Amino acid sequence: MAILDVKDIRKSFGQTQVLKGIGFSLERGQVVSVIGSSGSGKTTLLRCLNFLERPDGGSIAVNGEILFDAADPATQREAEIRRKRLHFGLVFQSFNLFPQYTALENVTLAGRLLAKEEPDYKTRKKEMFERIDAEARRLLAQMGLSDRMNNYPHQLSGGQQQRVAIARALALRPDILCFDEPTSALDPELTQEVLRVIRQLAERQTTMIIVTHEMAFARDVSSQVIFMDGGVVVEQGEPAQVIGAPTQARTRQFLDSYSQN
């Protein structure tokens, strides 16, 4: 069974139809890279998967559970949507760290807030917070940031901030980790630093969806590549096929123009 099953996702903003029926599936441990020109709908797709945008049509299922079905209002209640977001972790291209919190506090914040909603929070607060802190420290160490846990975002490089953001996304143990062009705000050296971390996650069989403009990285790390254009999936398959030997003229045109830039 696929860990993620996306069917016919549609999304419009006013009269502009951004997603025109996107569908794909993802097995546990796979990495899907989504490529395409600006405006092709890649980021909107990620935002729909994370319920930051509500799709106008289609369905999203994780581990066989229907999280969203445009035809079923029961799947669209706000309280349910909040819970369903926990299936996904999202790493933004602009880091989105809270500047008033240290790296460690950024990673533990969501877990602490969720712990307060547990019925036994008052009696188990100390135990819960100790577990959350221990997991955050482990993740930051995994990101190579053991000596930066008490630093504030302005005291960190862009690459270090993005690694904190990755640790924050992993802290809630999502089924699927999503990246929205995680290196677009970084210089080449810091880009390699972040890509190295993502590659290590792939080697640990972390299930991921990566919107990226790094073609060589997408080719090397992905199980599948999806090429989007104009709100539709133009071509999908193994990296060697989509990037190395595309069958669609639009895919070839995109890759040719990309290689010339």
Side-chain angles (χ1 to χ4, degrees), residues 95 145 156-164 186 190-191 193-194:
F95 320 141
L145 295 170
L156 302 172
S157 70
Q160 290 169 338
Q161 289 185 58
Q162 191 63 294
R163 283 185 279 151
V164 173
L186 303 175
L190 296 181
T191 290
E193 176 183 311
V194 171

Side-chain angles (χ1 to χ4, degrees), residues 212-253:
T212 182
H213 58 274
E214 300 286 344
M215 294 301 124
F217 176 75
R219 182 190 61 227
D220 294 344
V221 81
S222 305
S223 311
Q224 298 182 61
V225 173
I226 293 173
F227 171 62
M228 288 180 61
D229 186 62
V232 300
V233 174
V234 174
E235 192 159 358
Q236 176 179 356
E238 294 183 356
Q241 182 262 302
V242 176
I243 296 177
T247 61
Q248 300 300 309
R250 181 66 188 98
T251 313
R252 291 195 296 270
Q253 182 185 20

Side-chain angles (χ1 to χ4, degrees), residues 29-227:
Q30 285 190 321
V31 178
V32 169
S33 288
V34 185
I35 63 174
S37 302
S38 297
S40 59
K42 307 184 301 296
T43 293
T44 300
L45 173 62
L46 280 193
R47 291 179 64 85
C48 285
L49 292 178
N50 284 268
F51 302 107
L52 298 176
E53 301 286 353
R54 198 73 55 90
D56 300 322
S59 65
I60 301 167
V62 173
N63 293 321
E65 176 191 0
I66 301 293
L67 301 189
F68 177 87
D69 186 340
D72 183 1
T75 66
Q76 301 174 44
R77 299 187 184 114
E78 188 57 39
E80 285 297 297
I81 291 296
R82 283 187 63 209
R83 177 184 65 82
K84 292 168 181 177
R85 282 193 184 113
L86 297 177
H87 288 282
F88 297 89
L90 179 58
V91 179
F92 300 89
Q93 55 184 294
S94 55
F95 320 141
N96 286 15
L97 299 179
F98 293 103
Q100 71 272 34
Y101 296 134
T102 64
L104 182 62
E105 290 167 339
N106 265 280
V107 178
T108 60
L109 180 62
R112 286 179 172 235
L113 291 174
L114 287 171
K116 292 179 180 180
E117 298 179 6
E118 296 294 326
D120 55 352
Y121 168 70
K122 290 185 177 178
T123 58
R124 296 184 56 227
K125 174 182 175 180
K126 185 173 184 293
E127 173 193 340
M128 287 178 171
F129 280 16
E130 285 177 349
R131 176 178 53 78
I132 291 166
D133 284 4
E135 177 65 3
R137 291 176 185 278
R138 184 189 71 80
L139 287 168
L140 286 169
Q142 182 180 317
M143 296 296 123
L145 295 170
S146 295
D147 58 343
R148 294 288 186 268
M149 294 188 188
N150 295 316
N151 287 46
Y152 290 90
H154 75 273
Q155 298 171 317
L156 302 172
S157 70
Q160 290 169 338
Q161 289 185 58
Q162 191 63 294
R163 283 185 279 151
V164 173
I166 295 171
R168 179 178 61 182
L170 288 169
L172 297 179
R173 300 186 177 183
D175 292 294
I176 301 152
L177 184 59
C178 302
F179 293 87
D180 185 11
E181 299 199 4
T183 61
S184 65
L186 303 175
D187 64 36
E189 185 174 355
L190 296 181
T191 290
Q192 293 308 311
E193 176 183 311
V194 171
L195 293 181
R196 187 161 49 249
V197 169
I198 298 174
R199 196 183 303 274
Q200 289 168 353
L201 292 173
E203 290 169 355
R204 296 187 180 99
Q205 296 200 308
T206 305
T207 309
M208 293 184 283
I209 301 172
I210 307 171
V211 169
T212 182
H213 58 274
E214 300 286 344
M215 294 301 124
F217 176 75
R219 182 190 61 227
D220 294 344
V221 81
S222 305
S223 311
Q224 298 182 61
V225 173
I226 293 173
F227 171 62

